[in-house]
Short mmCIF file of all heavy atoms in Angstrom, two decimals:
data_model
loop_
_atom_site.label_atom_id
_atom_site.label_comp_id
_atom_site.label_asym_id
_atom_site.label_seq_id
_atom_site.Cartn_x
_atom_site.Cartn_y
_atom_site.Cartn_z
N TYR P 241 101.65 103.22 -1.38
CA TYR P 241 101.73 103.27 -2.82
C TYR P 241 102.90 102.45 -3.32
O TYR P 241 103.90 102.27 -2.61
CB TYR P 241 101.90 104.73 -3.29
CG TYR P 241 100.76 105.62 -2.91
CD1 TYR P 241 100.73 106.28 -1.66
CD2 TYR P 241 99.68 105.86 -3.76
CE1 TYR P 241 99.68 107.08 -1.30
CE2 TYR P 241 98.64 106.69 -3.42
CZ TYR P 241 98.64 107.29 -2.16
OH TYR P 241 97.61 108.08 -1.79
N ASP P 242 102.79 101.97 -4.54
CA ASP P 242 103.88 101.34 -5.25
C ASP P 242 104.03 102.15 -6.55
O ASP P 242 103.28 101.99 -7.51
CB ASP P 242 103.56 99.87 -5.57
CG ASP P 242 104.70 99.18 -6.30
OD1 ASP P 242 105.78 99.79 -6.48
OD2 ASP P 242 104.52 98.03 -6.73
N GLY P 243 105.00 103.05 -6.56
CA GLY P 243 105.10 103.97 -7.65
C GLY P 243 103.93 104.91 -7.65
O GLY P 243 103.63 105.54 -6.63
N ASP P 244 103.19 104.96 -8.76
CA ASP P 244 102.02 105.82 -8.84
C ASP P 244 100.73 105.13 -8.40
O ASP P 244 99.68 105.76 -8.40
CB ASP P 244 101.86 106.31 -10.30
CG ASP P 244 103.00 107.20 -10.74
OD1 ASP P 244 103.55 107.91 -9.90
OD2 ASP P 244 103.32 107.17 -11.94
N LEU P 245 100.82 103.86 -8.05
CA LEU P 245 99.61 103.08 -7.79
C LEU P 245 99.34 102.91 -6.31
O LEU P 245 100.23 102.59 -5.53
CB LEU P 245 99.77 101.70 -8.44
CG LEU P 245 99.98 101.68 -9.97
CD1 LEU P 245 100.19 100.27 -10.45
CD2 LEU P 245 98.80 102.32 -10.68
N LEU P 246 98.11 103.13 -5.92
CA LEU P 246 97.69 102.90 -4.55
C LEU P 246 97.57 101.40 -4.38
O LEU P 246 96.80 100.71 -5.05
CB LEU P 246 96.35 103.57 -4.29
CG LEU P 246 95.69 103.34 -2.94
CD1 LEU P 246 96.59 103.89 -1.83
CD2 LEU P 246 94.32 103.98 -2.87
N LYS P 247 98.32 100.85 -3.41
CA LYS P 247 98.37 99.40 -3.22
C LYS P 247 97.65 98.92 -1.97
O LYS P 247 97.19 97.76 -1.93
CB LYS P 247 99.83 98.92 -3.16
CG LYS P 247 100.59 99.11 -4.45
CD LYS P 247 100.10 98.12 -5.52
CE LYS P 247 100.53 96.70 -5.16
NZ LYS P 247 100.15 95.73 -6.24
N LYS P 248 97.51 99.75 -0.96
CA LYS P 248 96.93 99.28 0.28
C LYS P 248 96.35 100.45 1.08
O LYS P 248 96.96 101.53 1.13
CB LYS P 248 97.97 98.54 1.12
CG LYS P 248 97.46 97.87 2.37
CD LYS P 248 98.57 97.08 3.08
CE LYS P 248 98.08 96.37 4.31
NZ LYS P 248 99.16 95.63 5.00
N ILE P 249 95.19 100.21 1.67
CA ILE P 249 94.59 101.16 2.61
C ILE P 249 94.34 100.45 3.92
O ILE P 249 93.60 99.45 3.94
CB ILE P 249 93.28 101.77 2.07
CG1 ILE P 249 93.49 102.39 0.71
CG2 ILE P 249 92.72 102.78 3.06
CD1 ILE P 249 92.21 102.85 0.05
N SER P 250 94.99 100.90 4.99
CA SER P 250 94.82 100.29 6.28
C SER P 250 93.99 101.20 7.19
O SER P 250 94.12 102.42 7.15
CB SER P 250 96.18 100.03 6.96
OG SER P 250 96.98 99.16 6.17
N VAL P 251 93.15 100.59 8.01
CA VAL P 251 92.31 101.32 8.98
C VAL P 251 92.80 100.99 10.37
O VAL P 251 92.85 99.82 10.76
CB VAL P 251 90.85 100.94 8.80
CG1 VAL P 251 89.99 101.69 9.81
CG2 VAL P 251 90.36 101.22 7.39
N GLU P 252 93.18 102.04 11.11
CA GLU P 252 93.74 101.84 12.45
C GLU P 252 92.87 102.53 13.49
O GLU P 252 92.14 103.49 13.18
CB GLU P 252 95.18 102.42 12.52
CG GLU P 252 96.14 101.79 11.54
CD GLU P 252 97.52 102.39 11.64
OE1 GLU P 252 97.68 103.35 12.45
OE2 GLU P 252 98.42 101.95 10.90
N ASN P 253 92.98 102.05 14.73
CA ASN P 253 92.29 102.70 15.84
C ASN P 253 93.22 103.73 16.50
O ASN P 253 94.31 103.98 15.99
CB ASN P 253 91.79 101.67 16.85
CG ASN P 253 92.92 100.91 17.51
OD1 ASN P 253 94.08 101.30 17.47
ND2 ASN P 253 92.59 99.78 18.12
N LYS P 254 92.81 104.29 17.62
CA LYS P 254 93.55 105.36 18.22
C LYS P 254 94.89 104.89 18.79
O LYS P 254 95.81 105.68 19.03
CB LYS P 254 92.74 106.01 19.33
CG LYS P 254 93.05 107.48 19.59
CD LYS P 254 91.94 108.18 20.31
CE LYS P 254 92.16 109.67 20.31
NZ LYS P 254 91.02 110.42 20.87
N ASP P 255 95.00 103.58 19.03
CA ASP P 255 96.28 103.01 19.53
C ASP P 255 97.15 102.52 18.38
O ASP P 255 98.09 101.74 18.61
CB ASP P 255 95.96 101.86 20.48
CG ASP P 255 95.24 102.33 21.73
OD1 ASP P 255 95.56 103.43 22.21
OD2 ASP P 255 94.33 101.60 22.20
N SER P 256 96.83 102.91 17.14
CA SER P 256 97.58 102.54 15.94
C SER P 256 97.52 101.02 15.68
O SER P 256 98.40 100.47 15.03
CB SER P 256 99.02 103.00 16.02
OG SER P 256 99.11 104.42 16.08
N GLU P 257 96.47 100.39 16.16
CA GLU P 257 96.27 98.95 15.90
C GLU P 257 95.42 98.80 14.65
O GLU P 257 94.38 99.45 14.49
CB GLU P 257 95.56 98.29 17.06
CG GLU P 257 96.34 98.34 18.36
CD GLU P 257 95.51 97.90 19.56
OE1 GLU P 257 94.28 98.02 19.51
OE2 GLU P 257 96.12 97.41 20.55
N VAL P 258 95.88 97.94 13.71
CA VAL P 258 95.18 97.75 12.46
C VAL P 258 93.87 97.00 12.71
O VAL P 258 93.84 95.94 13.33
CB VAL P 258 96.06 96.95 11.46
CG1 VAL P 258 95.25 96.66 10.19
CG2 VAL P 258 97.30 97.75 11.10
N GLN P 259 92.78 97.58 12.21
CA GLN P 259 91.45 96.98 12.36
C GLN P 259 91.04 96.26 11.07
O GLN P 259 90.35 95.23 11.12
CB GLN P 259 90.42 98.05 12.70
CG GLN P 259 90.76 98.84 13.94
CD GLN P 259 90.84 98.00 15.19
OE1 GLN P 259 89.84 97.44 15.63
NE2 GLN P 259 92.02 97.87 15.76
N SER P 260 91.42 96.81 9.95
CA SER P 260 91.08 96.22 8.67
C SER P 260 91.99 96.82 7.60
O SER P 260 92.68 97.81 7.86
CB SER P 260 89.61 96.48 8.30
OG SER P 260 89.38 97.87 8.15
N TRP P 261 92.00 96.20 6.43
CA TRP P 261 92.77 96.79 5.33
C TRP P 261 92.23 96.29 3.99
O TRP P 261 91.57 95.26 3.93
CB TRP P 261 94.27 96.52 5.46
CG TRP P 261 94.71 95.11 5.19
CD1 TRP P 261 95.06 94.55 3.98
CD2 TRP P 261 94.83 94.05 6.15
NE1 TRP P 261 95.38 93.23 4.13
CE2 TRP P 261 95.29 92.89 5.45
CE3 TRP P 261 94.65 93.97 7.53
CZ2 TRP P 261 95.52 91.68 6.08
CZ3 TRP P 261 94.85 92.75 8.16
CH2 TRP P 261 95.30 91.64 7.44
N THR P 262 92.56 97.01 2.93
CA THR P 262 92.21 96.64 1.58
C THR P 262 93.47 96.66 0.73
O THR P 262 94.25 97.61 0.76
CB THR P 262 91.17 97.60 1.00
OG1 THR P 262 90.00 97.62 1.82
CG2 THR P 262 90.77 97.19 -0.41
N GLU P 263 93.66 95.59 -0.04
CA GLU P 263 94.82 95.48 -0.94
C GLU P 263 94.33 95.54 -2.41
O GLU P 263 93.28 95.02 -2.72
CB GLU P 263 95.58 94.17 -0.71
CG GLU P 263 96.12 94.02 0.71
CD GLU P 263 96.73 92.65 0.96
OE1 GLU P 263 96.54 91.74 0.10
OE2 GLU P 263 97.38 92.47 2.00
N MET P 264 95.14 96.16 -3.28
CA MET P 264 94.78 96.32 -4.66
C MET P 264 95.90 95.80 -5.58
O MET P 264 97.08 95.96 -5.28
CB MET P 264 94.53 97.78 -5.01
CG MET P 264 93.20 98.32 -4.49
SD MET P 264 93.21 98.69 -2.72
CE MET P 264 94.02 100.29 -2.73
N ASP P 265 95.50 95.18 -6.68
CA ASP P 265 96.41 94.74 -7.73
C ASP P 265 95.97 95.34 -9.06
O ASP P 265 94.77 95.57 -9.29
CB ASP P 265 96.48 93.21 -7.85
CG ASP P 265 97.10 92.56 -6.64
OD1 ASP P 265 98.15 93.05 -6.18
OD2 ASP P 265 96.55 91.56 -6.14
N TYR P 266 96.96 95.55 -9.95
CA TYR P 266 96.68 96.22 -11.22
C TYR P 266 97.20 95.39 -12.39
O TYR P 266 98.09 94.55 -12.22
CB TYR P 266 97.33 97.61 -11.22
CG TYR P 266 96.84 98.53 -10.11
CD1 TYR P 266 97.36 98.40 -8.82
CD2 TYR P 266 95.86 99.46 -10.34
CE1 TYR P 266 96.93 99.22 -7.79
CE2 TYR P 266 95.40 100.28 -9.32
CZ TYR P 266 95.94 100.16 -8.05
OH TYR P 266 95.50 100.96 -7.02
N ASP P 267 96.64 95.67 -13.59
CA ASP P 267 97.14 94.98 -14.78
C ASP P 267 98.28 95.78 -15.40
O ASP P 267 98.73 96.79 -14.84
CB ASP P 267 96.01 94.74 -15.78
CG ASP P 267 95.38 96.03 -16.32
OD1 ASP P 267 96.00 97.10 -16.15
OD2 ASP P 267 94.31 95.94 -16.94
N GLU P 268 98.77 95.34 -16.56
CA GLU P 268 99.92 95.98 -17.20
C GLU P 268 99.62 97.41 -17.62
O GLU P 268 100.55 98.19 -17.82
CB GLU P 268 100.37 95.14 -18.39
CG GLU P 268 100.92 93.77 -17.99
CD GLU P 268 101.33 92.94 -19.20
OE1 GLU P 268 101.04 93.38 -20.34
OE2 GLU P 268 101.91 91.85 -19.00
N GLU P 269 98.36 97.71 -17.79
CA GLU P 269 97.96 99.08 -18.19
C GLU P 269 97.64 99.94 -16.98
O GLU P 269 97.08 101.02 -17.11
CB GLU P 269 96.75 99.02 -19.12
CG GLU P 269 97.01 98.28 -20.43
CD GLU P 269 95.80 98.29 -21.33
OE1 GLU P 269 95.16 99.33 -21.45
OE2 GLU P 269 95.53 97.22 -21.93
N GLN P 270 98.01 99.45 -15.79
CA GLN P 270 97.81 100.14 -14.51
C GLN P 270 96.34 100.37 -14.20
O GLN P 270 95.93 101.33 -13.56
CB GLN P 270 98.57 101.47 -14.48
CG GLN P 270 100.10 101.29 -14.58
CD GLN P 270 100.86 102.57 -14.28
OE1 GLN P 270 100.33 103.66 -14.36
NE2 GLN P 270 102.12 102.41 -13.99
N ARG P 271 95.50 99.45 -14.69
CA ARG P 271 94.08 99.51 -14.35
C ARG P 271 93.84 98.54 -13.16
O ARG P 271 94.44 97.48 -13.07
CB ARG P 271 93.22 99.04 -15.53
CG ARG P 271 93.39 99.92 -16.75
CD ARG P 271 92.54 99.45 -17.91
NE ARG P 271 92.85 98.08 -18.30
CZ ARG P 271 92.40 97.50 -19.43
NH1 ARG P 271 91.62 98.20 -20.24
NH2 ARG P 271 92.72 96.25 -19.72
N LEU P 272 92.96 98.97 -12.25
CA LEU P 272 92.66 98.15 -11.09
C LEU P 272 92.10 96.81 -11.55
O LEU P 272 91.14 96.75 -12.31
CB LEU P 272 91.65 98.86 -10.18
CG LEU P 272 91.27 98.15 -8.90
CD1 LEU P 272 92.48 97.91 -8.02
CD2 LEU P 272 90.19 98.94 -8.15
N LEU P 273 92.70 95.73 -11.05
CA LEU P 273 92.32 94.39 -11.48
C LEU P 273 91.63 93.64 -10.35
O LEU P 273 90.49 93.14 -10.53
CB LEU P 273 93.55 93.61 -11.94
CG LEU P 273 93.31 92.32 -12.72
CD1 LEU P 273 92.55 92.60 -14.00
CD2 LEU P 273 94.64 91.65 -13.03
N ASN P 274 92.27 93.54 -9.21
CA ASN P 274 91.71 92.82 -8.08
C ASN P 274 91.85 93.66 -6.81
O ASN P 274 92.79 94.44 -6.65
CB ASN P 274 92.46 91.50 -7.85
CG ASN P 274 92.45 90.60 -9.07
OD1 ASN P 274 91.39 90.29 -9.61
ND2 ASN P 274 93.63 90.19 -9.52
N SER P 275 90.91 93.46 -5.89
CA SER P 275 91.02 94.06 -4.57
C SER P 275 90.48 93.08 -3.56
O SER P 275 89.59 92.26 -3.86
CB SER P 275 90.23 95.39 -4.49
OG SER P 275 88.85 95.18 -4.71
N ALA P 276 91.04 93.12 -2.36
CA ALA P 276 90.61 92.20 -1.29
C ALA P 276 90.56 92.98 0.01
O ALA P 276 91.47 93.77 0.31
CB ALA P 276 91.56 91.03 -1.17
N GLN P 277 89.50 92.76 0.78
CA GLN P 277 89.34 93.46 2.06
C GLN P 277 89.41 92.46 3.20
O GLN P 277 88.73 91.43 3.17
CB GLN P 277 87.99 94.21 2.10
CG GLN P 277 87.80 95.03 3.38
CD GLN P 277 86.49 95.78 3.39
OE1 GLN P 277 85.64 95.62 2.53
NE2 GLN P 277 86.30 96.60 4.42
N TYR P 278 90.23 92.82 4.20
CA TYR P 278 90.37 91.98 5.39
C TYR P 278 89.88 92.75 6.61
O TYR P 278 90.07 93.97 6.69
CB TYR P 278 91.84 91.59 5.56
CG TYR P 278 92.41 90.74 4.43
CD1 TYR P 278 92.87 91.35 3.26
CD2 TYR P 278 92.47 89.37 4.56
CE1 TYR P 278 93.36 90.56 2.21
CE2 TYR P 278 93.00 88.59 3.51
CZ TYR P 278 93.43 89.22 2.35
OH TYR P 278 93.92 88.44 1.32
N ILE P 279 89.31 92.02 7.57
CA ILE P 279 88.82 92.65 8.79
C ILE P 279 89.27 91.86 10.01
O ILE P 279 89.75 90.70 9.90
CB ILE P 279 87.28 92.74 8.81
CG1 ILE P 279 86.68 91.32 8.79
CG2 ILE P 279 86.76 93.58 7.68
CD1 ILE P 279 85.17 91.30 9.05
N THR P 280 89.16 92.47 11.18
CA THR P 280 89.38 91.74 12.42
C THR P 280 88.28 90.68 12.59
O THR P 280 87.10 90.95 12.40
CB THR P 280 89.33 92.70 13.61
OG1 THR P 280 90.31 93.72 13.44
CG2 THR P 280 89.59 91.96 14.92
N ASP P 281 88.70 89.48 12.86
CA ASP P 281 87.73 88.36 12.96
C ASP P 281 86.73 88.63 14.08
O ASP P 281 87.11 89.03 15.17
CB ASP P 281 88.47 87.04 13.18
CG ASP P 281 87.57 85.86 12.98
OD1 ASP P 281 86.77 85.56 13.88
OD2 ASP P 281 87.64 85.25 11.89
N GLU P 282 85.45 88.35 13.78
CA GLU P 282 84.41 88.60 14.78
C GLU P 282 84.52 87.61 15.95
O GLU P 282 84.11 87.94 17.06
CB GLU P 282 83.03 88.44 14.14
CG GLU P 282 82.81 89.37 12.94
CD GLU P 282 83.12 88.67 11.61
OE1 GLU P 282 83.98 87.77 11.58
OE2 GLU P 282 82.49 89.04 10.64
N VAL P 283 85.06 86.43 15.69
CA VAL P 283 85.12 85.40 16.70
C VAL P 283 86.41 85.49 17.51
O VAL P 283 86.43 85.37 18.73
CB VAL P 283 84.96 83.98 16.09
CG1 VAL P 283 85.20 82.90 17.13
CG2 VAL P 283 83.60 83.86 15.45
N ASP P 284 87.53 85.70 16.79
CA ASP P 284 88.85 85.78 17.41
C ASP P 284 89.47 87.13 17.07
O ASP P 284 90.09 87.28 16.01
CB ASP P 284 89.74 84.63 16.93
CG ASP P 284 91.06 84.59 17.68
OD1 ASP P 284 91.37 85.52 18.44
OD2 ASP P 284 91.83 83.62 17.48
N PRO P 285 89.33 88.14 17.93
CA PRO P 285 89.85 89.48 17.63
C PRO P 285 91.35 89.51 17.45
O PRO P 285 91.89 90.54 16.99
CB PRO P 285 89.43 90.31 18.88
CG PRO P 285 88.29 89.56 19.45
CD PRO P 285 88.60 88.12 19.21
N GLY P 286 92.06 88.43 17.81
CA GLY P 286 93.49 88.40 17.61
C GLY P 286 93.87 87.98 16.18
O GLY P 286 95.06 87.94 15.87
N LYS P 287 92.88 87.69 15.37
CA LYS P 287 93.14 87.27 14.00
C LYS P 287 92.39 88.15 13.02
O LYS P 287 91.49 88.91 13.39
CB LYS P 287 92.70 85.82 13.82
CG LYS P 287 93.50 84.80 14.63
CD LYS P 287 93.00 83.39 14.32
CE LYS P 287 93.78 82.33 15.12
NZ LYS P 287 93.30 80.97 14.82
N TYR P 288 92.78 88.04 11.75
CA TYR P 288 92.09 88.73 10.68
C TYR P 288 91.52 87.70 9.74
O TYR P 288 92.00 86.57 9.66
CB TYR P 288 93.06 89.66 9.91
CG TYR P 288 93.67 90.73 10.79
CD1 TYR P 288 94.95 90.53 11.35
CD2 TYR P 288 93.01 91.93 11.06
CE1 TYR P 288 95.54 91.52 12.14
CE2 TYR P 288 93.59 92.88 11.86
CZ TYR P 288 94.84 92.70 12.40
OH TYR P 288 95.41 93.65 13.19
N ARG P 289 90.51 88.11 8.99
CA ARG P 289 89.94 87.19 8.00
C ARG P 289 89.54 87.96 6.77
O ARG P 289 89.34 89.21 6.79
CB ARG P 289 88.75 86.44 8.55
CG ARG P 289 87.46 87.25 8.68
CD ARG P 289 86.30 86.34 9.01
NE ARG P 289 85.03 87.08 9.05
CZ ARG P 289 84.25 87.30 7.96
NH1 ARG P 289 84.67 86.89 6.77
NH2 ARG P 289 83.11 87.95 8.09
N LEU P 290 89.44 87.27 5.65
CA LEU P 290 89.02 87.85 4.41
C LEU P 290 87.52 88.15 4.42
O LEU P 290 86.71 87.28 4.77
CB LEU P 290 89.33 86.89 3.26
CG LEU P 290 89.05 87.37 1.81
CD1 LEU P 290 89.88 88.60 1.48
CD2 LEU P 290 89.36 86.24 0.83
#
Side-chain angles (χ1 to χ4, degrees):
Y241 299 86
D242 181 7
D244 295 329
L245 301 176
L246 177 63
K247 294 289 290 183
K248 186 176 182 180
I249 304 174
S250 301
V251 179
E252 300 179 358
N253 63 17
K254 208 160 191 174
D255 296 322
S256 298
E257 298 170 334
V258 175
Q259 305 298 294
S260 64
W261 73 88
T262 302
E263 299 175 349
M264 285 78 80
D265 292 315
Y266 301 81
D267 63 15
E268 295 179 352
E269 298 181 43
Q270 297 190 341
R271 299 179 302 191
L272 182 61
L273 194 61
N274 303 305
S275 62
Q277 184 179 5
Y278 297 83
I279 62 170
T280 302
D281 193 281
E282 304 94 330
V283 174
D284 186 352
K287 295 182 179 179
Y288 300 96
R289 74 169 184 87
L290 184 61

